[in-house]
Amino acid sequence: MRGEMFDRLEDLLIRFEEIMSELHEPTVTSNQERFRKLMKEQSDLTPIVDAYTEYKKCRQETEESLELLEVENDEDMREMLKDALSESRKRAEELEQELKILLLPKDPNDDRNVIVEIRAGAGGDEAALFAAEIYRMYVHYAEGRRWKVDTMNVDEIGIGGMKEVQFTIAGQGAYSRMKYESGVHRVQRVPETESGGRIHTSTISVAVMPEVDEDIDIVIADKDIRIDVMRASGNGGQCVNTTDSAVRLTHYPTGIVVYSQTEKSQLQNKAKAFALLKAKLYDMEQQQRHDAEAELRRSQIGTGDRSEKIRTYNFPQGRVTDHRIGLTIYKLDKVMDGDIDEILDACIAADQAAKLLKMGEN
């Protein structure tokens, strides 16, 4: 297994050098599609090549230190060489582990933008209020990473809650991190409307779907779709728009209904609605594939059952628990303000560990 890994790394190093050579050719920019593919491949290979180059340097330093130790008699020099040997060996071990992770099969959707759908579940108004808070948590998280958020549709209730909301997050590697948010989120707290001071448990569901662009072939036949246009409405059904700009799409084969009303233009809302429908159809296709590969799905943290309870936010104790990885942290305020990297990093690490274990078993 180890020998195979280093054979593959040597092949990737050769391929990287070929790409760099081709990118330096004056004619490469005349074919923009070819140029983009080469730049993407170069970007994907760079962290692997950098780690492997450093690994080879550490191995060389280890060999040099061993050779010098055989002939060196001065005790001070021998101690220095032993320290250098220990350091280069330790770093080589770290890099070997990094390389194993870098060589794991990559999710083809990881670099995509995402469409997120949050729906209030059990708990009535309290669930809708929590849905709005989780929406704001993701907006703050995206802003912290300089990702762009664009709301597609929101169904609000008068007290500031959201029955449901759909929005896009555009940014480098958005799906690679946000995919771990799919599932049921549970909140435990005393609602502001509760006079008795009893702790209530409410739930919301989050679905994170990769945005579908032109390289994914999702065909929607005209006969399978109904398009309705209407006036956009705000809280309490009040008209917030005097033109028929809101768009609702009904997909007959699946029964999926999507709605977009955040733009003033009917054309823009139609484009957003179709983007959401395509993402839902692609997501459905992926879920079916994961269901067919049950063992694979169990070994991955980020692609589990959408009905799975993944996280609990306990306000009285100020804690957040991610049930998939057994992680509990006591900084609920920061988490609700968008500081979720610690949780996502732990999910990614657990996912990688499960995949490495699975590869080791094969």
Side-chain angles (χ1 to χ4, degrees), residues 84-102:
L85 178 63
S86 173
E87 198 173 307
S88 58
R89 275 178 170 166
K90 184 187 173 190
R91 182 60 184 143
E93 284 173 15
E94 290 171 354
L95 286 162
E96 190 170 335
Q97 190 63 21
E98 279 179 36
L99 285 163
K100 283 178 185 175
I101 291 167
L102 286 166

Side-chain angles (χ1 to χ4, degrees), residues 92-122:
E93 284 173 15
E94 290 171 354
L95 286 162
E96 190 170 335
Q97 190 63 21
E98 279 179 36
L99 285 163
K100 283 178 185 175
I101 291 167
L102 286 166
L103 289 173
L104 283 171
K106 196 176 177 188
D107 185 332
N109 293 314
D110 273 355
D111 290 330
R112 296 189 186 281
N113 299 330
V114 296
I115 293 178
V116 184
E117 181 175 74
I118 302 172
R119 288 180 181 270

Side-chain angles (χ1 to χ4, degrees), residues 44-204:
D44 290 345
L45 286 178
T46 295
I48 299 172
V49 168
D50 287 349
Y52 186 45
T53 303
E54 190 186 346
Y55 173 82
K56 292 201 336 181
K57 185 185 171 193
C58 286
R59 288 302 299 265
Q60 187 181 341
E61 287 171 357
T62 299
E63 287 171 19
E64 286 172 357
S65 295
L66 283 168
E67 286 171 9
L68 288 168
L69 270 170
E70 284 182 12
V71 295
E72 184 59 62
N73 293 320
D74 183 81
E75 270 313 307
D76 289 341
M77 280 300 294
R78 286 182 66 81
E79 283 304 312
M80 282 175 63
L81 287 167
K82 282 177 185 176
D83 288 344
L85 178 63
S86 173
E87 198 173 307
S88 58
R89 275 178 170 166
K90 184 187 173 190
R91 182 60 184 143
E93 284 173 15
E94 290 171 354
L95 286 162
E96 190 170 335
Q97 190 63 21
E98 279 179 36
L99 285 163
K100 283 178 185 175
I101 291 167
L102 286 166
L103 289 173
L104 283 171
K106 196 176 177 188
D107 185 332
N109 293 314
D110 273 355
D111 290 330
R112 296 189 186 281
N113 299 330
V114 296
I115 293 178
V116 184
E117 181 175 74
I118 302 172
R119 288 180 181 270
D125 286 353
E126 173 65 8
L129 286 167
F130 186 56
E133 289 173 72
I134 292 296
Y135 165 72
R136 286 191 289 273
M137 178 182 85
Y138 292 144
V139 170
H140 289 154
Y141 178 66
E143 286 171 349
R145 297 186 78 87
R146 299 192 175 176
W147 291 344
K148 185 174 177 250
V149 178
D150 186 13
T151 305
M152 306 173 85
N153 178 51
V154 57
D155 182 3
E156 297 177 288
I157 62 171
I159 57 172
M162 296 175 177
K163 287 182 183 175
E164 67 176 86
V165 58
Q166 290 96 15
F167 56 100
T168 60
I169 298 178
Q172 181 66 39
Y175 186 76
S176 71
R177 297 189 72 77
M178 288 299 297
K179 65 183 176 184
Y180 297 100
E181 291 303 294
S182 281
V184 174
H185 296 238
R186 184 175 69 168
V187 60
Q188 294 174 327
R189 65 182 175 191
V190 178
E192 288 180 21
T193 53
E194 174 64 47
S195 57
R198 291 183 298 114
I199 293 173
H200 283 225
T201 298
S202 305
T203 62
I204 64 159

Side-chain angles (χ1 to χ4, degrees), residues 219-343:
V219 179
I220 301 172
D222 290 344
K223 65 180 176 60
D224 291 340
I225 198 90
R226 190 178 82 210
I227 304 173
D228 296 307
V229 294
M230 61 207 72
R231 289 185 182 179
S233 60
N235 294 339
Q238 288 180 321
C239 286
V240 293
N241 205 318
T242 55
T243 59
D244 292 338
S245 62
V247 175
R248 183 177 64 212
L249 300 181
T250 306
H251 188 247
Y252 295 125
T254 60
I256 292 172
V257 178
V258 297
Y259 187 70
S260 179
Q261 67 165 3
T262 54
E263 301 294 337
K264 290 180 181 178
S265 152
Q266 185 187 120
L267 205 62
Q268 288 173 310
N269 280 324
K270 188 177 175 183
K272 280 188 172 185
F274 267 101
L276 177 55
L277 177 58
K278 282 185 176 181
K280 281 177 171 278
L281 291 172
Y282 180 58
D283 185 60
M284 188 180 285
E285 188 183 290
Q286 283 197 307
Q287 287 291 313
Q288 286 167 351
R289 196 178 304 126
H290 290 142
D291 288 347
E293 299 166 7
E295 188 184 344
L296 172 66
R297 203 186 75 197
R298 276 198 300 273
S299 75
Q300 294 178 342
I301 304 294
T303 50
D305 189 341
R306 286 282 159 79
S307 63
E308 177 190 6
K309 180 186 73 182
I310 65 164
R311 197 173 298 149
T312 296
Y313 305 74
N314 184 295
F315 277 72
Q317 295 177 23
R319 64 174 164 83
V320 182
T321 300
D322 196 291
H323 305 289
R324 297 163 296 179
I325 53 174
L327 172 73
T328 296
I329 56 176
Y330 289 87
K331 54 175 192 180
L332 180 61
D333 291 349
K334 287 185 177 179
V335 167
M336 296 309 295
D337 199 35
D339 186 2
I340 58 174
D341 269 328
E342 184 179 344
I343 299 170

